[in-house]
Amino acid sequence: MADYTGKYFSQRDLSLLHSFNNELITNVMQIVVELLKVAPGETKTNIYGETDQTAGRYYFEPIKLACIIDRGDISSEDYNFGPDRKQTAVFKFQEDVLQSVNFYPQNGDLITFNERYYEIDNITQEQMIGGQPDKSWSIICNTHYTRFSKVNIIDRQN
């Protein structure tokens, strides 16, 4: 069996790709979002681990990062209580940038973009350079639009 362990993607090649990608995302595309991590010590849950509906979730201060976004179309469904807006979005972050700010997104965290809040449903980390597990490239967050009334942001600067 042949050995396919990174003959064509050295650390120097990887650094070059990171610098090109970082330049493109931060200086050309300039799409900046805010990531909010759930504050588990502040969030009250019931005996099943579900968030209390009246108190809601609490979040740490947001971190601003550049990313690539694939947004779905906005759809509206009209229930007896009024219209309900739905939208999905995929946010793609460079893994090395997330590591440099010591942030790893998890289900339930929020992403703020265009004055809208998107809750993370699923995280994918399977985009690898040359198919090599030690050269992971990006973290992809699948999200859905969430209402502002469900978000409970607290000031953590006390």
Side-chain angles (χ1 to χ4, degrees):
M1 181 153 221
D3 181 22
Y4 296 106
T5 55
K7 295 180 182 179
Y8 301 108
F9 287 102
S10 68
Q11 190 58 41
R12 185 175 172 195
D13 296 335
L14 197 60
S15 296
L16 179 67
L17 290 175
H18 278 296
S19 66
F20 284 156
N21 199 31
N22 194 29
E23 178 78 20
L24 177 68
I25 290 173
T26 56
N27 296 332
V28 176
M29 297 175 73
Q30 296 182 349
I31 300 172
V32 177
V33 299
E34 292 182 340
L35 294 156
L36 294 103
K37 173 74 72 187
V38 174
E42 303 288 333
T43 302
K44 295 180 179 31
T45 58
N46 61 18
I47 60 172
Y48 303 108
E50 298 167 338
T51 306
D52 183 10
Q53 291 290 350
T54 57
R57 292 184 193 154
Y58 290 89
Y59 298 90
F60 293 113
E61 283 292 314
I63 297 172
K64 292 184 179 185
L65 290 175
C67 70
I68 298 173
I69 303 173
D70 291 332
R71 287 178 287 169
D73 293 333
I74 296 174
S75 64
S76 245
E77 294 179 15
D78 192 10
Y79 297 108
N80 293 336
F81 304 109
D84 188 21
R85 188 165 88 182
K86 295 183 179 191
Q87 181 182 29
T88 59
V90 178
F91 295 87
K92 301 173 184 179
F93 299 96
Q94 287 179 274
E95 185 174 356
D96 63 329
V97 173
L98 288 173
Q99 287 175 350
S100 70
V101 296
N102 197 22
F103 187 92
Y104 186 81
Q106 295 175 320
N107 291 355
D109 291 347
L110 290 180
I111 299 174
T112 305
F113 174 70
N114 197 22
E115 298 181 8
R116 295 185 187 137
Y117 290 92
Y118 296 89
E119 186 175 345
I120 297 176
D121 297 323
N122 189 25
I123 290 108
T124 307
Q125 188 180 2
E126 295 179 5
Q127 188 178 25
M128 300 168 203
I129 301 295
Q132 301 167 22
D134 62 330
K135 294 184 173 89
S136 182
W137 183 255
S138 66
I139 293 179
I140 301 169
C141 300
N142 296 310
T143 66
H144 70 275
Y145 171 77
T146 188
R147 291 185 202 97
F148 185 71
S149 59
K150 287 187 170 185
V151 178
N152 187 16
I153 311 254
I154 61 169
D155 185 15
R156 306 288 295 175
Q157 298 296 325
N158 296 338

